[in-house]
Amino acid sequence: MPRSAPSMSPRMREVYAALLERAPENRIEPDLSRIRRVMELMGDPQHSYRSIRIAGTNGKTTVARMIERILREAGLRTGRTTSPHLHSPVERIAVDGVPVDEDAFIQAYEDVKPFAEVVDREQLERGGVRLTFFEYLTAMAFQAFASAPVDVAVIETGLGGTWDATGVADPDVAVITPIGMDHQDFLGDTIAQIAGEKAGILTERAIAVLAAQPFADADDVLYERVRALGCEVAQEDEQIGVLSRTPGVGGQMLTVQGIAGRYENVFLSLLGEHQAHNALLAIAACEAFLGGGQDPLDGDMLGAALASVTSPGRAEVVRQAPTILVDAAHNPAGAESLVATVRENFRFTRTIGLIGVLQEKDAEQILAILEPLLDRVVITNSSSPRAIPADELADLARDVFGDEDRVTETASLPDAIQAAVDLAEADGDQFGGVVAAGSVTLAADVRDLLGLEVDG
C-alpha cells in the first residue's frame, strides 16, 4: 500500500482510502480502454495543453523534475505528475513546481468521480475491473492541470509504457531513461521485452530523446521502434552527450552538447554521474519542446534552473554529524549509481548501510552491489506491507556479507537509524556516514522521522 502522511485531514484520508481500495499501484491491468473511456467522458482534458512523457527504469522522477524546472524558468506554467510519492499523495500532482494542497487534490478526485462511476459500472457489467488506483490518479492529474490551467504537463509513466495509463496523453516529446531489469513480473524477463514496453511511449509526432543504454538489447529495440515510426530522435552519445563534469561541493559543474547548443560550465545541484546524464536528457527534451530542437536554450535561464533543482530521496543528505544520505536505490542499477556517487562525493572513514527492500525486488543483488561499499549494515524494514521482514532480509545479508558481525538486525526503523548512527560514530569517529537505501518507502520513512517534507 502506498504511504500516507500522518497529518492528513479526515476528508483527505477518506479520499485516499477510496483510491487505495482500487487495484494497487504495483499491479497493472494491461488495457487502456478504462482510462481512455473516462478521459473521453471528461472531454479529454489531457489534450488541452502540450506535454512531455518520460519512461525508463531509473531516473524518471529526477528527469521530470529537471524538465519541469527548466520550463518554469523559461516562463511556462507547468504541471508535473510523478510517482510514487514520498510523504503524501498530493506530491503526485504539482502545478508550477509545488504539490497541490489537499483541497485541490480532493477537488480533482471529486471532478473525476462521476465519470469514474460510469466507467466502473460499464466495466463490471461486462466482467471487467474498475479503474485502478493509478488510472484514477492519472485522470485526477490531467484534470487538475486543465483546471489550473497549465501550458505544459511533464508526465512520468507509472509502470512500463505501452499499457501505462499516462498513454492517453499525446506528447510533443518522449524521453526514455536507462532501461534495466525491474518489474519483470509485468514487463518481461529480458531486457528486450522490458525495452519493448518502455518504447511504447514513442510516437510518430513526438521527438524522441533517448539515454545511452547500458544493455545493447535495449538500444536495438529502441532503434527499431524509432526507425519504424520515422520520428525525430536525439540519442545520447550520438546527437547529444555529456562532454565533461567536475564534482564539487553540493553538486557538479557540467559541459554538455544538446540538440541545438553546447552549454558550458553549468552548475547542477545534484550529486552523481548519473544525474549529469539525467540533466542532459532534460536539456535535450526542453530544446525539443521549446524550439523543435532548432534553437539553443538561454544559458542564464538554464543555469538558474539546474542550480536550484531538487530531487528528494535521491542521493540526498538529510542530516549532518554524522552524515545521513538517503537514496531510493530499489533495483541493481540504482544501487550501482548510489555506490559510485558515495565513492565520488564522500570520504567517510566508515560507511554504515541502513537497508530495507520490498518483496518483489532483487534484494540479494542489491545487497551484493552495496556490500563492498559498506563496513557494517543495519537491516530493517519500512512501513510498507510489501517490505521484506527484517529477519528474512538479515539472513540474506549475512550470506552476502559473509560475516555475521557486519550485520545488525533491527525491525524498528527509529531504533535502526539510531543503531546506524551509533556504528558510524563508534570510538569517537567524527567522519563516519550512514547510507539509507533499498526502497522509495525506506527513503521516505527516514525523511519522515527526521522531520523533512517535500515542498517542490
Side-chain angles (χ1 to χ4, degrees), residues 110 143 151-152 167 197 270 281 321 378 392 397 434 436 438:
E110 296 293 348
Q143 174 60 25
D151 300 311
V152 53
E197 290 297 321
L270 299 175
L281 298 180
V378 178
E392 293 182 19
V434 175

Side-chain angles (χ1 to χ4, degrees), residues 26-28 57-58 159-160 179-195 197-198 215 330-333 358-363 365-366:
N26 64 318
R27 193 184 84 208
I28 60 172
T57 301
N58 290 91
L159 190 61
I179 295 169
M181 298 298 290
D182 204 6
H183 299 295
Q184 291 97 308
D185 45 347
F186 293 106
L187 303 181
D189 295 324
T190 69
I191 288 294
Q193 289 173 328
I194 295 171
E197 290 297 321
K198 308 286 186 182
F215 298 99
H330 58 85
N331 55 38
L358 300 187
Q359 291 172 354
E360 66 270 21
K361 301 298 182 177
D362 189 348
Q365 184 66 10
I366 292 170

Side-chain angles (χ1 to χ4, degrees), residues 54-104:
I54 305 154
T57 301
N58 290 91
K60 298 190 299 295
T61 296
T62 302
V63 170
R65 294 177 71 91
M66 288 178 175
I67 291 172
E68 188 273 339
R69 183 67 191 87
I70 295 169
L71 295 178
R72 187 154 40 92
E73 194 67 31
L76 298 180
R77 190 167 203 212
T78 59
R80 183 187 72 222
T81 180
T82 55
S83 61
H85 61 268
L86 283 171
H87 304 293
S88 169
V90 301
E91 297 163 21
R92 294 167 179 259
I93 306 173
V95 175
D96 277 341
V98 179
V100 298
D101 60 22
E102 288 191 356
D103 287 343

Side-chain angles (χ1 to χ4, degrees), residues 353-418:
L354 176 63
I355 309 298
V357 184
L358 300 187
Q359 291 172 354
E360 66 270 21
K361 301 298 182 177
D362 189 348
E364 183 173 9
Q365 184 66 10
I366 292 170
L367 287 166
I369 292 168
L370 294 175
E371 185 273 331
L373 176 71
L374 305 177
D375 296 287
R376 298 278 300 272
V377 64
V378 178
I379 298 296
T380 189
N381 47 255
S382 68
S383 61
S384 172
R386 291 156 46 210
I388 299 175
D391 56 346
E392 293 182 19
L393 188 59
D395 285 342
L396 189 59
R398 292 183 186 101
D399 290 339
V400 170
F401 279 69
D403 182 352
E404 289 195 7
D405 291 339
R406 292 177 66 194
V407 179
T408 299
E409 172 193 334
T410 307
S412 164
L413 184 55
D415 291 344
I417 294 174
Q418 188 59 57

Side-chain angles (χ1 to χ4, degrees), residues 306-335:
L306 293 186
S308 59
V309 72
T310 61
S311 191
R314 277 76 179 175
E316 179 189 19
V317 175
V318 295
R319 174 180 157 170
Q320 302 284 358
T323 296
I324 299 180
L325 185 78
V326 297
D327 192 280
H330 58 85
N331 55 38

